[in-house]
Amino acid sequence: MFEEFSSGYYLGRLYVEPHDGDHAVIQQTDHERMNRRLYTDGEGVERLDAPLVMKLDGRHFPVVGREGVPSGTLALPPSVTDTTLPDRCEVFLAKPDRAAELLRYVGYEQGHAEAV
C-alpha cells in the first residue's frame, strides 16, 4: 500500500472520503498492518494502536484505526481538509522518527487525534 519515498515519508495511494468523526481514520486491520510493517522493529512488545501520521495537501494529521471503514480508504473529517476530495489520491505516511517528532510537537496523547 505504501512504498519508500524519502528519508521522512512513505508514499501510497488511498481512496479518500469525508466522514463526520473528529479525526482521520482507516480500516482497523489496515491500521494494524501498517503499524506492524512500517513502525515496529520486532523487538519486545510493541503497540499496534499508535496513530499513524499522514500528510495530504501539505497538512499532517494523526490517523487511527476504526472498524467499518473500507480497506484502502482514508476517511477525513472536515477539520482536516476543506478541499474537494478526489476519489483516490497520493498520501504521504510519515516514517517512525518523523511521526514521533510530529506527535510530540503537538503534545499528542493516546485517544486525542488533533491535526498536526
Side-chain angles (χ1 to χ4, degrees), residues 55-107:
K55 180 179 176 183
L56 179 67
D57 295 333
R59 187 165 182 200
H60 291 90
F61 47 90
V63 180
V64 296
R66 185 170 116 188
E67 293 299 330
V69 178
S71 182
T73 300
L74 173 63
L76 298 174
S79 63
V80 173
T81 183
D82 57 1
T83 62
T84 302
L85 299 171
D87 288 343
R88 189 169 160 100
C89 65
E90 291 182 339
V91 178
F92 294 96
L93 172 63
K95 290 186 175 180
D97 291 342
R98 179 75 174 136
E101 174 187 345
L102 290 165
L103 291 171
R104 274 193 311 272
Y105 175 73
V106 297

mmCIF file of all heavy atoms in Angstrom, residues 55-107:
data_model
loop_
_atom_site.group_PDB
_atom_site.id
_atom_site.type_symbol
_atom_site.label_atom_id
_atom_site.label_comp_id
_atom_site.label_asym_id
_atom_site.label_seq_id
_atom_site.Cartn_x
_atom_site.Cartn_y
_atom_site.Cartn_z
ATOM 1 N N LYS A 55 0.083 12.786 5.602
ATOM 2 C CA LYS A 55 0.145 14.160 5.082
ATOM 3 C C LYS A 55 -0.606 14.205 3.759
ATOM 4 O O LYS A 55 -0.379 13.380 2.875
ATOM 5 C CB LYS A 55 1.603 14.553 4.874
ATOM 6 C CG LYS A 55 1.809 15.947 4.343
ATOM 7 C CD LYS A 55 3.300 16.228 4.193
ATOM 8 C CE LYS A 55 3.549 17.576 3.562
ATOM 9 N NZ LYS A 55 4.977 17.799 3.348
ATOM 10 N N LEU A 56 -1.514 15.170 3.672
ATOM 11 C CA LEU A 56 -2.297 15.370 2.461
ATOM 12 C C LEU A 56 -2.482 16.868 2.290
ATOM 13 O O LEU A 56 -2.769 17.576 3.266
ATOM 14 C CB LEU A 56 -3.661 14.675 2.605
ATOM 15 C CG LEU A 56 -4.630 14.792 1.439
ATOM 16 C CD1 LEU A 56 -4.106 14.048 0.221
ATOM 17 C CD2 LEU A 56 -5.989 14.241 1.838
ATOM 18 N N ASP A 57 -2.304 17.360 1.095
ATOM 19 C CA ASP A 57 -2.447 18.798 0.822
ATOM 20 C C ASP A 57 -1.587 19.653 1.746
ATOM 21 O O ASP A 57 -2.015 20.704 2.226
ATOM 22 C CB ASP A 57 -3.911 19.236 0.937
ATOM 23 C CG ASP A 57 -4.805 18.609 -0.118
ATOM 24 O OD1 ASP A 57 -4.285 18.266 -1.203
ATOM 25 O OD2 ASP A 57 -6.010 18.479 0.143
ATOM 26 N N GLY A 58 -0.375 19.189 2.067
ATOM 27 C CA GLY A 58 0.551 19.963 2.888
ATOM 28 C C GLY A 58 0.238 19.974 4.373
ATOM 29 O O GLY A 58 0.872 20.704 5.125
ATOM 30 N N ARG A 59 -0.709 19.173 4.811
ATOM 31 C CA ARG A 59 -1.107 19.171 6.220
ATOM 32 C C ARG A 59 -0.936 17.777 6.817
ATOM 33 O O ARG A 59 -1.374 16.798 6.247
ATOM 34 C CB ARG A 59 -2.564 19.606 6.324
ATOM 35 C CG ARG A 59 -3.006 19.801 7.731
ATOM 36 C CD ARG A 59 -4.291 20.564 7.768
ATOM 37 N NE ARG A 59 -4.660 20.763 9.152
ATOM 38 C CZ ARG A 59 -5.861 21.045 9.553
ATOM 39 N NH1 ARG A 59 -6.837 21.172 8.679
ATOM 40 N NH2 ARG A 59 -6.123 21.219 10.814
ATOM 41 N N HIS A 60 -0.307 17.725 8.000
ATOM 42 C CA HIS A 60 -0.122 16.468 8.726
ATOM 43 C C HIS A 60 -1.293 16.244 9.676
ATOM 44 O O HIS A 60 -1.830 17.197 10.233
ATOM 45 C CB HIS A 60 1.156 16.528 9.573
ATOM 46 C CG HIS A 60 2.396 16.535 8.767
ATOM 47 N ND1 HIS A 60 2.977 17.712 8.331
ATOM 48 C CD2 HIS A 60 3.177 15.532 8.314
ATOM 49 C CE1 HIS A 60 4.069 17.414 7.640
ATOM 50 N NE2 HIS A 60 4.215 16.114 7.614
ATOM 51 N N PHE A 61 -1.629 14.968 9.890
ATOM 52 C CA PHE A 61 -2.686 14.639 10.837
ATOM 53 C C PHE A 61 -2.530 13.194 11.305
ATOM 54 O O PHE A 61 -2.084 12.338 10.553
ATOM 55 C CB PHE A 61 -4.081 14.847 10.217
ATOM 56 C CG PHE A 61 -4.221 14.239 8.840
ATOM 57 C CD1 PHE A 61 -4.645 12.940 8.679
ATOM 58 C CD2 PHE A 61 -3.918 14.990 7.718
ATOM 59 C CE1 PHE A 61 -4.762 12.378 7.415
ATOM 60 C CE2 PHE A 61 -4.028 14.443 6.452
ATOM 61 C CZ PHE A 61 -4.453 13.127 6.302
ATOM 62 N N PRO A 62 -2.880 12.917 12.577
ATOM 63 C CA PRO A 62 -2.853 11.553 13.082
ATOM 64 C C PRO A 62 -4.014 10.756 12.491
ATOM 65 O O PRO A 62 -5.091 11.310 12.246
ATOM 66 C CB PRO A 62 -3.038 11.699 14.588
ATOM 67 C CG PRO A 62 -2.960 13.136 14.896
ATOM 68 C CD PRO A 62 -3.171 13.888 13.623
ATOM 69 N N VAL A 63 -3.776 9.479 12.267
ATOM 70 C CA VAL A 63 -4.801 8.589 11.721
ATOM 71 C C VAL A 63 -4.904 7.382 12.637
ATOM 72 O O VAL A 63 -3.895 6.749 12.961
ATOM 73 C CB VAL A 63 -4.428 8.131 10.297
ATOM 74 C CG1 VAL A 63 -5.486 7.200 9.737
ATOM 75 C CG2 VAL A 63 -4.222 9.329 9.383
ATOM 76 N N VAL A 64 -6.103 7.065 13.057
ATOM 77 C CA VAL A 64 -6.336 5.911 13.925
ATOM 78 C C VAL A 64 -7.165 4.876 13.182
ATOM 79 O O VAL A 64 -7.785 5.175 12.164
ATOM 80 C CB VAL A 64 -7.026 6.326 15.248
ATOM 81 C CG1 VAL A 64 -6.109 7.247 16.056
ATOM 82 C CG2 VAL A 64 -8.358 6.994 14.993
ATOM 83 N N GLY A 65 -7.177 3.660 13.691
ATOM 84 C CA GLY A 65 -7.939 2.579 13.088
ATOM 85 C C GLY A 65 -9.365 2.569 13.594
ATOM 86 O O GLY A 65 -9.631 2.908 14.749
ATOM 87 N N ARG A 66 -10.274 2.167 12.716
ATOM 88 C CA ARG A 66 -11.679 2.084 13.098
ATOM 89 C C ARG A 66 -12.367 1.028 12.254
ATOM 90 O O ARG A 66 -12.154 0.959 11.039
ATOM 91 C CB ARG A 66 -12.355 3.433 12.899
ATOM 92 C CG ARG A 66 -13.798 3.460 13.391
ATOM 93 C CD ARG A 66 -14.315 4.855 13.400
ATOM 94 N NE ARG A 66 -15.409 4.917 12.435
ATOM 95 C CZ ARG A 66 -16.005 6.038 12.066
ATOM 96 N NH1 ARG A 66 -15.606 7.195 12.538
ATOM 97 N NH2 ARG A 66 -16.993 6.004 11.226
ATOM 98 N N GLU A 67 -13.181 0.223 12.884
ATOM 99 C CA GLU A 67 -13.974 -0.766 12.160
ATOM 100 C C GLU A 67 -15.005 -0.039 11.309
ATOM 101 O O GLU A 67 -15.423 1.072 11.630
ATOM 102 C CB GLU A 67 -14.674 -1.706 13.144
ATOM 103 C CG GLU A 67 -13.725 -2.594 13.933
ATOM 104 C CD GLU A 67 -12.894 -3.528 13.063
ATOM 105 O OE1 GLU A 67 -13.367 -3.947 11.973
ATOM 106 O OE2 GLU A 67 -11.765 -3.836 13.461
ATOM 107 N N GLY A 68 -15.411 -0.651 10.223
ATOM 108 C CA GLY A 68 -16.446 -0.079 9.375
ATOM 109 C C GLY A 68 -15.932 0.791 8.242
ATOM 110 O O GLY A 68 -16.703 1.212 7.386
ATOM 111 N N VAL A 69 -14.633 1.088 8.221
ATOM 112 C CA VAL A 69 -14.047 1.861 7.125
ATOM 113 C C VAL A 69 -13.566 0.847 6.087
ATOM 114 O O VAL A 69 -12.887 -0.116 6.440
ATOM 115 C CB VAL A 69 -12.861 2.730 7.618
ATOM 116 C CG1 VAL A 69 -12.227 3.479 6.459
ATOM 117 C CG2 VAL A 69 -13.308 3.676 8.718
ATOM 118 N N PRO A 70 -13.897 1.036 4.816
ATOM 119 C CA PRO A 70 -13.438 0.085 3.795
ATOM 120 C C PRO A 70 -11.912 0.022 3.724
ATOM 121 O O PRO A 70 -11.234 1.038 3.910
ATOM 122 C CB PRO A 70 -14.017 0.646 2.495
ATOM 123 C CG PRO A 70 -15.127 1.547 2.912
ATOM 124 C CD PRO A 70 -14.734 2.090 4.258
ATOM 125 N N SER A 71 -11.380 -1.141 3.449
ATOM 126 C CA SER A 71 -9.939 -1.315 3.312
ATOM 127 C C SER A 71 -9.418 -0.424 2.189
ATOM 128 O O SER A 71 -10.054 -0.262 1.151
ATOM 129 C CB SER A 71 -9.622 -2.776 3.000
ATOM 130 O OG SER A 71 -8.234 -2.971 2.905
ATOM 131 N N GLY A 72 -8.253 0.207 2.416
ATOM 132 C CA GLY A 72 -7.641 1.068 1.414
ATOM 133 C C GLY A 72 -8.257 2.448 1.334
ATOM 134 O O GLY A 72 -8.010 3.180 0.386
ATOM 135 N N THR A 73 -9.048 2.809 2.351
ATOM 136 C CA THR A 73 -9.732 4.102 2.363
ATOM 137 C C THR A 73 -9.292 4.933 3.554
ATOM 138 O O THR A 73 -9.175 4.431 4.668
ATOM 139 C CB THR A 73 -11.265 3.893 2.437
ATOM 140 O OG1 THR A 73 -11.673 3.153 1.286
ATOM 141 C CG2 THR A 73 -12.008 5.217 2.480
ATOM 142 N N LEU A 74 -9.065 6.200 3.315
ATOM 143 C CA LEU A 74 -8.773 7.176 4.355
ATOM 144 C C LEU A 74 -10.000 8.067 4.489
ATOM 145 O O LEU A 74 -10.412 8.709 3.528
ATOM 146 C CB LEU A 74 -7.549 8.019 3.964
ATOM 147 C CG LEU A 74 -7.184 9.194 4.852
ATOM 148 C CD1 LEU A 74 -6.809 8.728 6.257
ATOM 149 C CD2 LEU A 74 -6.043 9.983 4.218
ATOM 150 N N ALA A 75 -10.615 8.059 5.672
ATOM 151 C CA ALA A 75 -11.805 8.874 5.917
ATOM 152 C C ALA A 75 -11.388 10.109 6.715
ATOM 153 O O ALA A 75 -10.785 9.985 7.784
ATOM 154 C CB ALA A 75 -12.850 8.064 6.669
ATOM 155 N N LEU A 76 -11.710 11.288 6.182
ATOM 156 C CA LEU A 76 -11.246 12.541 6.768
ATOM 157 C C LEU A 76 -12.407 13.402 7.282
ATOM 158 O O LEU A 76 -13.394 13.592 6.580
ATOM 159 C CB LEU A 76 -10.480 13.356 5.721
ATOM 160 C CG LEU A 76 -9.215 12.720 5.163
ATOM 161 C CD1 LEU A 76 -8.657 13.577 4.040
ATOM 162 C CD2 LEU A 76 -8.186 12.545 6.263
ATOM 163 N N PRO A 77 -12.238 13.952 8.485
ATOM 164 C CA PRO A 77 -13.249 14.887 9.000
ATOM 165 C C PRO A 77 -13.063 16.258 8.342
ATOM 166 O O PRO A 77 -11.991 16.545 7.789
ATOM 167 C CB PRO A 77 -12.927 14.949 10.494
ATOM 168 C CG PRO A 77 -11.465 14.711 10.561
ATOM 169 C CD PRO A 77 -11.168 13.725 9.449
ATOM 170 N N PRO A 78 -14.068 17.108 8.415
ATOM 171 C CA PRO A 78 -13.948 18.443 7.811
ATOM 172 C C PRO A 78 -12.777 19.260 8.365
ATOM 173 O O PRO A 78 -12.224 20.097 7.660
ATOM 174 C CB PRO A 78 -15.276 19.124 8.172
ATOM 175 C CG PRO A 78 -16.193 18.031 8.535
ATOM 176 C CD PRO A 78 -15.362 16.886 9.017
ATOM 177 N N SER A 79 -12.347 18.999 9.590
ATOM 178 C CA SER A 79 -11.249 19.765 10.185
ATOM 179 C C SER A 79 -9.901 19.481 9.524
ATOM 180 O O SER A 79 -8.973 20.266 9.655
ATOM 181 C CB SER A 79 -11.145 19.467 11.683
ATOM 182 O OG SER A 79 -10.841 18.099 11.899
ATOM 183 N N VAL A 80 -9.786 18.381 8.814
ATOM 184 C CA VAL A 80 -8.513 18.020 8.187
ATOM 185 C C VAL A 80 -8.371 18.634 6.801
ATOM 186 O O VAL A 80 -7.298 19.063 6.410
ATOM 187 C CB VAL A 80 -8.335 16.489 8.122
ATOM 188 C CG1 VAL A 80 -7.113 16.107 7.317
ATOM 189 C CG2 VAL A 80 -8.250 15.915 9.524
ATOM 190 N N THR A 81 -9.448 18.694 6.053
ATOM 191 C CA THR A 81 -9.353 19.259 4.714
ATOM 192 C C THR A 81 -10.635 19.988 4.360
ATOM 193 O O THR A 81 -11.716 19.547 4.692
ATOM 194 C CB THR A 81 -9.044 18.180 3.647
ATOM 195 O OG1 THR A 81 -8.889 18.805 2.382
ATOM 196 C CG2 THR A 81 -10.121 17.131 3.564
ATOM 197 N N ASP A 82 -10.481 21.116 3.716
ATOM 198 C CA ASP A 82 -11.658 21.858 3.276
ATOM 199 C C ASP A 82 -11.742 21.883 1.752
ATOM 200 O O ASP A 82 -12.513 22.620 1.174
ATOM 201 C CB ASP A 82 -11.663 23.278 3.836
ATOM 202 C CG ASP A 82 -10.410 24.057 3.460
ATOM 203 O OD1 ASP A 82 -9.545 23.512 2.754
ATOM 204 O OD2 ASP A 82 -10.299 25.213 3.880
ATOM 205 N N THR A 83 -10.929 21.043 1.113
ATOM 206 C CA THR A 83 -10.940 20.979 -0.344
ATOM 207 C C THR A 83 -11.827 19.830 -0.800
ATOM 208 O O THR A 83 -12.147 18.929 -0.040
ATOM 209 C CB THR A 83 -9.513 20.764 -0.889
ATOM 210 O OG1 THR A 83 -9.022 19.515 -0.392
ATOM 211 C CG2 THR A 83 -8.586 21.887 -0.481
ATOM 212 N N THR A 84 -12.196 19.865 -2.043
ATOM 213 C CA THR A 84 -12.938 18.761 -2.628
ATOM 214 C C THR A 84 -11.997 17.567 -2.704
ATOM 215 O O THR A 84 -10.874 17.679 -3.188
ATOM 216 C CB THR A 84 -13.435 19.136 -4.038
ATOM 217 O OG1 THR A 84 -14.233 20.305 -3.917
ATOM 218 C CG2 THR A 84 -14.235 18.011 -4.639
ATOM 219 N N LEU A 85 -12.456 16.463 -2.199
ATOM 220 C CA LEU A 85 -11.604 15.282 -2.140
ATOM 221 C C LEU A 85 -11.707 14.460 -3.421
ATOM 222 O O LEU A 85 -12.811 14.170 -3.876
ATOM 223 C CB LEU A 85 -12.015 14.412 -0.947
ATOM 224 C CG LEU A 85 -11.889 15.068 0.422
ATOM 225 C CD1 LEU A 85 -12.539 14.194 1.477
ATOM 226 C CD2 LEU A 85 -10.446 15.314 0.758
ATOM 227 N N PRO A 86 -10.558 14.077 -3.992
ATOM 228 C CA PRO A 86 -10.597 13.183 -5.157
ATOM 229 C C PRO A 86 -10.967 11.774 -4.695
ATOM 230 O O PRO A 86 -10.875 11.459 -3.511
ATOM 231 C CB PRO A 86 -9.149 13.226 -5.668
ATOM 232 C CG PRO A 86 -8.345 13.541 -4.454
ATOM 233 C CD PRO A 86 -9.214 14.420 -3.584
ATOM 234 N N ASP A 87 -11.377 10.934 -5.623
ATOM 235 C CA ASP A 87 -11.713 9.558 -5.262
ATOM 236 C C ASP A 87 -10.507 8.805 -4.719
ATOM 237 O O ASP A 87 -10.600 8.073 -3.755
ATOM 238 C CB ASP A 87 -12.242 8.797 -6.474
ATOM 239 C CG ASP A 87 -13.627 9.258 -6.871
ATOM 240 O OD1 ASP A 87 -14.298 9.906 -6.050
ATOM 241 O OD2 ASP A 87 -14.028 8.976 -8.008
ATOM 242 N N ARG A 88 -9.383 8.986 -5.366
ATOM 243 C CA ARG A 88 -8.159 8.283 -4.978
ATOM 244 C C ARG A 88 -7.001 9.254 -5.148
ATOM 245 O O ARG A 88 -6.913 9.945 -6.158
ATOM 246 C CB ARG A 88 -7.977 7.059 -5.865
ATOM 247 C CG ARG A 88 -6.881 6.131 -5.440
ATOM 248 C CD ARG A 88 -6.994 4.839 -6.250
ATOM 249 N NE ARG A 88 -5.769 4.122 -6.246
ATOM 250 C CZ ARG A 88 -5.522 3.072 -5.464
ATOM 251 N NH1 ARG A 88 -6.430 2.643 -4.649
ATOM 252 N NH2 ARG A 88 -4.369 2.456 -5.509
ATOM 253 N N CYS A 89 -6.130 9.323 -4.151
ATOM 254 C CA CYS A 89 -5.032 10.286 -4.276
ATOM 255 C C CYS A 89 -3.787 9.779 -3.561
ATOM 256 O O CYS A 89 -3.831 8.821 -2.786
ATOM 257 C CB CYS A 89 -5.441 11.650 -3.755
ATOM 258 S SG CYS A 89 -5.787 11.698 -2.007
ATOM 259 N N GLU A 90 -2.682 10.465 -3.840
ATOM 260 C CA GLU A 90 -1.423 10.136 -3.188
ATOM 261 C C GLU A 90 -1.433 10.719 -1.782
ATOM 262 O O GLU A 90 -1.817 11.858 -1.565
ATOM 263 C CB GLU A 90 -0.255 10.705 -3.982
ATOM 264 C CG GLU A 90 -0.062 10.018 -5.309
ATOM 265 C CD GLU A 90 1.120 10.546 -6.083
ATOM 266 O OE1 GLU A 90 1.573 11.678 -5.827
ATOM 267 O OE2 GLU A 90 1.599 9.802 -6.959
ATOM 268 N N VAL A 91 -1.005 9.893 -0.836
ATOM 269 C CA VAL A 91 -0.963 10.272 0.573
ATOM 270 C C VAL A 91 0.423 9.933 1.095
ATOM 271 O O VAL A 91 0.962 8.866 0.790
ATOM 272 C CB VAL A 91 -2.031 9.501 1.382
ATOM 273 C CG1 VAL A 91 -1.956 9.857 2.849
ATOM 274 C CG2 VAL A 91 -3.418 9.760 0.832
ATOM 275 N N PHE A 92 1.002 10.830 1.865
ATOM 276 C CA PHE A 92 2.291 10.567 2.490
ATOM 277 C C PHE A 92 2.068 10.003 3.885
ATOM 278 O O PHE A 92 1.186 10.452 4.607
ATOM 279 C CB PHE A 92 3.117 11.859 2.592
ATOM 280 C CG PHE A 92 3.520 12.393 1.255
ATOM 281 C CD1 PHE A 92 2.772 13.381 0.635
ATOM 282 C CD2 PHE A 92 4.649 11.913 0.604
ATOM 283 C CE1 PHE A 92 3.131 13.895 -0.605
ATOM 284 C CE2 PHE A 92 5.020 12.411 -0.632
ATOM 285 C CZ PHE A 92 4.251 13.403 -1.239
ATOM 286 N N LEU A 93 2.878 9.032 4.248
ATOM 287 C CA LEU A 93 2.853 8.430 5.576
ATOM 288 C C LEU A 93 4.215 8.675 6.205
ATOM 289 O O LEU A 93 5.246 8.273 5.657
ATOM 290 C CB LEU A 93 2.578 6.924 5.477
ATOM 291 C CG LEU A 93 2.689 6.104 6.749
ATOM 292 C CD1 LEU A 93 1.643 6.551 7.773
ATOM 293 C CD2 LEU A 93 2.515 4.620 6.435
ATOM 294 N N ALA A 94 4.216 9.382 7.333
ATOM 295 C CA ALA A 94 5.479 9.713 7.996
ATOM 296 C C ALA A 94 6.155 8.452 8.503
ATOM 297 O O ALA A 94 5.508 7.558 9.040
ATOM 298 C CB ALA A 94 5.224 10.677 9.153
ATOM 299 N N LYS A 95 7.466 8.400 8.329
ATOM 300 C CA LYS A 95 8.243 7.286 8.871
ATOM 301 C C LYS A 95 8.288 7.413 10.396
ATOM 302 O O LYS A 95 7.964 8.473 10.948
ATOM 303 C CB LYS A 95 9.651 7.294 8.269
ATOM 304 C CG LYS A 95 9.630 6.908 6.799
ATOM 305 C CD LYS A 95 11.027 6.781 6.238
ATOM 306 C CE LYS A 95 10.971 6.268 4.804
ATOM 307 N NZ LYS A 95 12.313 6.145 4.236
ATOM 308 N N PRO A 96 8.654 6.339 11.094
ATOM 309 C CA PRO A 96 8.559 6.325 12.561
ATOM 310 C C PRO A 96 9.164 7.525 13.282
ATOM 311 O O PRO A 96 8.503 8.123 14.131
ATOM 312 C CB PRO A 96 9.275 5.034 12.948
ATOM 313 C CG PRO A 96 9.125 4.148 11.763
ATOM 314 C CD PRO A 96 9.154 5.073 10.566
ATOM 315 N N ASP A 97 10.390 7.891 12.960
ATOM 316 C CA ASP A 97 11.030 9.015 13.656
ATOM 317 C C ASP A 97 10.304 10.324 13.384
ATOM 318 O O ASP A 97 10.088 11.130 14.277
ATOM 319 C CB ASP A 97 12.502 9.149 13.253
ATOM 320 C CG ASP A 97 13.353 8.002 13.763
ATOM 321 O OD1 ASP A 97 12.905 7.292 14.689
ATOM 322 O OD2 ASP A 97 14.459 7.817 13.236
ATOM 323 N N ARG A 98 9.911 10.538 12.139
ATOM 324 C CA ARG A 98 9.191 11.760 11.771
ATOM 325 C C ARG A 98 7.813 11.791 12.435
ATOM 326 O O ARG A 98 7.385 12.820 12.948
ATOM 327 C CB ARG A 98 9.062 11.843 10.245
ATOM 328 C CG ARG A 98 8.324 13.060 9.749
ATOM 329 C CD ARG A 98 9.198 14.300 9.869
ATOM 330 N NE ARG A 98 8.498 15.416 9.255
ATOM 331 C CZ ARG A 98 8.429 16.615 9.791
ATOM 332 N NH1 ARG A 98 9.044 16.877 10.914
ATOM 333 N NH2 ARG A 98 7.775 17.565 9.186
ATOM 334 N N ALA A 99 7.128 10.658 12.454
ATOM 335 C CA ALA A 99 5.809 10.586 13.087
ATOM 336 C C ALA A 99 5.904 10.892 14.577
ATOM 337 O O ALA A 99 5.118 11.673 15.115
ATOM 338 C CB ALA A 99 5.198 9.206 12.869
ATOM 339 N N ALA A 100 6.878 10.299 15.251
ATOM 340 C CA ALA A 100 7.054 10.546 16.690
ATOM 341 C C ALA A 100 7.342 12.015 16.948
ATOM 342 O O ALA A 100 6.801 12.613 17.886
ATOM 343 C CB ALA A 100 8.183 9.667 17.231
ATOM 344 N N GLU A 101 8.171 12.618 16.107
ATOM 345 C CA GLU A 101 8.501 14.038 16.246
ATOM 346 C C GLU A 101 7.252 14.910 16.088
ATOM 347 O O GLU A 101 7.000 15.810 16.891
ATOM 348 C CB GLU A 101 9.540 14.410 15.187
ATOM 349 C CG GLU A 101 9.876 15.872 15.097
ATOM 350 C CD GLU A 101 10.790 16.175 13.905
ATOM 351 O OE1 GLU A 101 11.376 15.250 13.322
ATOM 352 O OE2 GLU A 101 10.891 17.354 13.561
ATOM 353 N N LEU A 102 6.458 14.642 15.072
ATOM 354 C CA LEU A 102 5.245 15.424 14.832
ATOM 355 C C LEU A 102 4.233 15.254 15.956
ATOM 356 O O LEU A 102 3.589 16.215 16.381
ATOM 357 C CB LEU A 102 4.619 15.025 13.496
ATOM 358 C CG LEU A 102 5.401 15.458 12.256
ATOM 359 C CD1 LEU A 102 4.913 14.711 11.024
ATOM 360 C CD2 LEU A 102 5.300 16.962 12.052
ATOM 361 N N LEU A 103 4.089 14.036 16.454
ATOM 362 C CA LEU A 103 3.137 13.796 17.540
ATOM 363 C C LEU A 103 3.594 14.464 18.832
ATOM 364 O O LEU A 103 2.783 15.028 19.568
ATOM 365 C CB LEU A 103 2.925 12.296 17.740
ATOM 366 C CG LEU A 103 2.165 11.604 16.602
ATOM 367 C CD1 LEU A 103 2.206 10.093 16.774
ATOM 368 C CD2 LEU A 103 0.735 12.108 16.497
ATOM 369 N N ARG A 104 4.894 14.425 19.113
ATOM 370 C CA ARG A 104 5.415 15.113 20.302
ATOM 371 C C ARG A 104 5.221 16.619 20.200
ATOM 372 O O ARG A 104 4.894 17.292 21.165
ATOM 373 C CB ARG A 104 6.904 14.807 20.495
ATOM 374 C CG ARG A 104 7.195 13.545 21.253
ATOM 375 C CD ARG A 104 8.654 13.460 21.678
ATOM 376 N NE ARG A 104 9.606 13.723 20.608
ATOM 377 C CZ ARG A 104 10.077 12.798 19.777
ATOM 378 N NH1 ARG A 104 9.698 11.555 19.881
ATOM 379 N NH2 ARG A 104 10.943 13.123 18.849
ATOM 380 N N TYR A 105 5.413 17.132 19.011
ATOM 381 C CA TYR A 105 5.303 18.575 18.769
ATOM 382 C C TYR A 105 3.935 19.122 19.176
ATOM 383 O O TYR A 105 3.827 20.214 19.705
ATOM 384 C CB TYR A 105 5.574 18.853 17.292
ATOM 385 C CG TYR A 105 5.382 20.286 16.885
ATOM 386 C CD1 TYR A 105 6.296 21.267 17.254
ATOM 387 C CD2 TYR A 105 4.289 20.667 16.124
ATOM 388 C CE1 TYR A 105 6.130 22.587 16.885
ATOM 389 C CE2 TYR A 105 4.106 21.987 15.747
ATOM 390 C CZ TYR A 105 5.031 22.941 16.129
ATOM 391 O OH TYR A 105 4.848 24.238 15.758
ATOM 392 N N VAL A 106 2.887 18.354 18.931
ATOM 393 C CA VAL A 106 1.534 18.818 19.269
ATOM 394 C C VAL A 106 1.060 18.291 20.612
ATOM 395 O O VAL A 106 -0.077 18.519 20.994
ATOM 396 C CB VAL A 106 0.504 18.450 18.174
ATOM 397 C CG1 VAL A 106 0.847 19.129 16.877
ATOM 398 C CG2 VAL A 106 0.364 16.965 18.022
ATOM 399 N N GLY A 107 1.920 17.566 21.337
ATOM 400 C CA GLY A 107 1.533 17.044 22.636
ATOM 401 C C GLY A 107 0.469 15.976 22.529
ATOM 402 O O GLY A 107 -0.409 15.876 23.382
#
